[in-house]
Amino acid sequence: MGRKRTLNRMDYRADSEEETEETEAEETEEEEEEGEEDEAEAEGDGESESEEDSGGDEEAEELDEDGEPIKKKKKAKKKVVAVVKPKRTRAAKIVRMKAIWAVFDNSSKQVEKFEYKEKEQAEAFIAEKSGDKKSYYLQMLKVPLE
């Protein structure tokens, strides 16, 4: 049996990183060219007005050795950083609560409810039911006020 060929994944990763850097560089060059064209159009309008004012038909563009106009590189526009607004949070609704006494059996099932001021009646209910084999207990609960 022959040896199994293994791939060096680090080489592949390095190649892919180089490709991404090249594509990013190309994209930034394209953006700069687009920005230069927009600025050239804006300046072209301004030059035509100044030429009309002076009355001269002379070309304002400089020519290179071949007689072609030279493209002037303009400064790249500064990117506008958007101001991040803090997220609005809604105030939580305040729910008013009231206290009640609840009687529970041994399996933690609620058997009866009493108002907070009726604690003696709740204790009497427990004493009355304690004659059964089940045991009961009293607990204070807070429920939403209706």
Side-chain angles (χ1 to χ4, degrees), residues 45-88:
D45 296 338
E47 291 175 1
S48 62
E49 292 173 4
S50 63
E51 290 175 4
E52 292 172 2
D53 294 339
S54 64
D57 293 329
E58 300 175 20
E59 284 188 38
E61 296 180 359
E62 297 179 19
L63 302 175
D64 64 355
E65 297 170 359
D66 298 332
E68 296 177 9
I70 298 175
K71 291 184 178 179
K72 295 180 182 179
K73 289 191 175 183
K74 304 296 176 186
K75 295 180 182 177
K77 291 183 180 179
K78 294 182 181 178
K79 293 183 179 179
V80 178
V81 179
V83 179
V84 178
K85 295 181 181 178
K87 292 185 178 182
R88 288 178 45 182

Side-chain angles (χ1 to χ4, degrees), residues 3-4 12 14 17 33 42 48-50 56 58-59 61 66 71 77-78 93 99 108 122 129-130 133 135-136 145:
R3 281 184 20 197
K4 196 174 195 181
Y12 289 119
E17 288 176 358
E33 290 175 2
S48 62
E49 292 173 4
S50 63
E58 300 175 20
E59 284 188 38
E61 296 180 359
D66 298 332
K71 291 184 178 179
K77 291 183 180 179
K78 294 182 181 178
K93 291 184 179 180
S108 298
K129 288 286 189 174
S130 63
K133 293 182 179 179
S135 62
Y136 294 92
L145 184 65

